[in-house]
Amino acid sequence: MTVKHIKCYLRNDMLIKNDNIELEFSLPEHMTDVGIRISGGLDSAIILYILCTYITETKRDIKILPMTTNDWTKPYQVKWATRVLNWIQNQFPNVNFYEHKTYQLKENEDYIQGQIDHKLRVLKEFEQLNGKKIDVTLHGQNLAPPKEVTDKFVNSKGNYMAGPNSKDGRDTKQDAWVPEKKLYRPLINLDKQGIAEIYKYYKLTESLFNKTRSCEYLEADKVARTNNYNSHCNTDCWWCAERKWGFGKI
C-alpha cells in the first residue's frame, strides 16, 4: 500500500487517501478549542500530528488541550505522552497548546472509566476557568486487525493473547463523530496497517514512531521485562503483536 496524496480540500477538509484507505479529517468552522486524549501510543500520536498539520495548512485559529491519564497497573502513559507532545510541539512551534492535563489513577481504579472521569473533570475545569467549552475531544480509537490475524496472536509460550474486549468496539466499523459526547475519532475505521501508511507518508516511521509505546504486558515481571516501561515486551502482549503486524517492527 502506497500513499498517493494527502492534501487539503477547501478550508475545513483534509483528505488522506491511497489505494486502500481514505480518511477525511475535518473540523467545523466554529471550533476553536480542541481537546485530545494522548496515551503515548501510536494512534493518539498520529492524530495529534494530523491535527497540527491541519491547523498549520488551513491557518485555523485552534488551540489544543492535551489530556493523559496514567494507569496504576502499567503507569507509562504520562511519560510517553509527554515525549510525543514535546516532539510534536517542536515540529509545530506556531500551534498553540493549553497546559497538558495529567492524572494518576489510584489503586484499583479502572483504566477505561478512569480516563473518562478524568476527561470530564478536565473539561469542567476548563469551562469554569475560561468561560467557554472545549468544542470537541479527539481520540485515537481504531479498528482491530481482522479476526484471522488476531487468532494467530500467541505469546512466546504459545498461548493465545486476548485483546480489547467487546466494550471497546474495535471489532466493528463506526461513525467517526459522536456528537452527543462531542467526540471525534478520525481513525475509527482504520486498522494498524492503515495507520502505518499515514506514518510512512509523513516520514515518521523513524522519528515519531520511536517516541511512542504500545506495550500492555501485565505479568509479574513487567517492570524488569520492559526496563521500567521504557521498552516493549515485543511478543508477549496483544498490543505489541498488533503494532508489529501493522508496522512490521516494534
Side-chain angles (χ1 to χ4, degrees), residues 38-41 44-45 68 70 74-87 100 207-215 226-232 243:
I38 309 175
S39 67
S44 57
T68 304
N70 219 39
K74 46 184 188 317
Y76 70 85
Q77 291 82 9
V78 169
K79 177 193 294 185
W80 287 82
T82 300
R83 291 178 183 179
V84 166
L85 184 58
N86 289 342
W87 188 88
H100 185 195
S207 53
L208 179 57
F209 176 90
N210 295 324
K211 302 296 181 183
T212 67
R213 185 176 186 273
S214 303
C215 186
T226 62
N227 187 27
N228 195 26
Y229 307 107
N230 283 307
S231 60
H232 290 79
R243 183 180 177 106

Side-chain angles (χ1 to χ4, degrees), residues 9 23 46 57 59 63 84 88 116 118 131 147 164 169 189 232 239 245:
Y9 288 88
L23 174 67
I46 197 62
E57 293 188 358
K59 297 180 171 57
K63 193 170 182 178
V84 166
I88 289 182
I116 296 171
H118 177 220
K147 187 175 184 300
N189 295 316
H232 290 79
W239 290 266
W245 172 78

Side-chain angles (χ1 to χ4, degrees), residues 20-237:
N20 299 289
I21 64 170
E22 183 170 324
L23 174 67
E24 181 183 285
F25 186 94
S26 178
L27 293 172
E29 189 70 30
H30 72 276
M31 292 186 174
T32 58
D33 297 281
V34 175
I36 182 169
R37 286 166 55 182
I38 309 175
S39 67
L42 288 162
D43 312 313
S44 57
I46 197 62
I47 285 293
L48 180 58
Y49 190 92
I50 291 171
L51 174 59
C52 290
T53 300
Y54 174 82
I55 293 170
T56 301
E57 293 188 358
T58 61
K59 297 180 171 57
R60 293 277 302 275
D61 183 15
I62 294 174
K63 193 170 182 178
I64 302 170
L65 173 64
M67 297 170 271
T68 304
T69 310
N70 219 39
D71 195 10
W72 66 276
T73 59
K74 46 184 188 317
Y76 70 85
Q77 291 82 9
V78 169
K79 177 193 294 185
W80 287 82
T82 300
R83 291 178 183 179
V84 166
L85 184 58
N86 289 342
W87 188 88
I88 289 182
Q89 285 179 312
N90 285 333
Q91 305 304 306
F92 297 95
N94 295 321
V95 173
N96 295 315
F97 286 82
Y98 290 103
E99 179 186 357
H100 185 195
K101 297 295 184 179
T102 65
Y103 175 69
Q104 174 65 56
L105 290 176
K106 298 177 177 61
E107 187 173 350
N108 294 322
E109 280 192 90
D110 180 74
Y111 182 53
I112 301 301
Q113 187 60 46
Q115 291 180 81
I116 296 171
D117 292 343
H118 177 220
K119 169 190 166 182
L120 294 176
R121 288 196 302 272
V122 169
L123 297 183
K124 183 177 181 180
E125 291 169 2
F126 178 89
E127 182 179 1
Q128 291 172 340
L129 288 172
N130 297 280
K132 59 180 179 178
K133 296 181 179 181
I134 289 294
D135 296 305
V136 69
T137 300
L138 276 63
H139 189 281
Q141 185 179 355
N142 59 92
L143 198 65
K147 187 175 184 300
E148 59 267 24
V149 172
T150 58
D151 281 347
K152 298 177 182 177
F153 282 1
V154 296
N155 62 23
S156 57
K157 297 179 180 179
N159 298 321
Y160 173 75
M161 297 184 292
N165 59 38
S166 59
K167 292 181 180 180
D168 189 271
R170 291 189 58 200
D171 56 344
T172 59
K173 291 192 174 184
Q174 304 175 52
D175 290 334
W177 286 91
V178 186
E180 65 273 16
K181 295 183 179 180
K182 293 187 175 181
L183 180 64
Y184 183 29
R185 306 167 298 175
L187 305 178
I188 194 66
N189 295 316
L190 282 182
D191 61 28
K192 278 294 190 295
Q193 289 191 345
I195 293 167
E197 290 302 316
I198 302 175
Y199 271 81
K200 289 177 187 176
Y201 173 81
Y202 283 120
K203 297 182 173 63
L204 298 174
T205 52
E206 300 301 328
S207 53
L208 179 57
F209 176 90
N210 295 324
K211 302 296 181 183
T212 67
R213 185 176 186 273
S214 303
C215 186
E216 299 283 337
Y217 183 73
L218 287 175
E219 299 301 321
D221 63 339
K222 59 189 176 184
V223 175
R225 175 73 181 273
T226 62
N227 187 27
N228 195 26
Y229 307 107
N230 283 307
S231 60
H232 290 79
C233 72
N234 294 322
T235 59
D236 285 336
C237 79

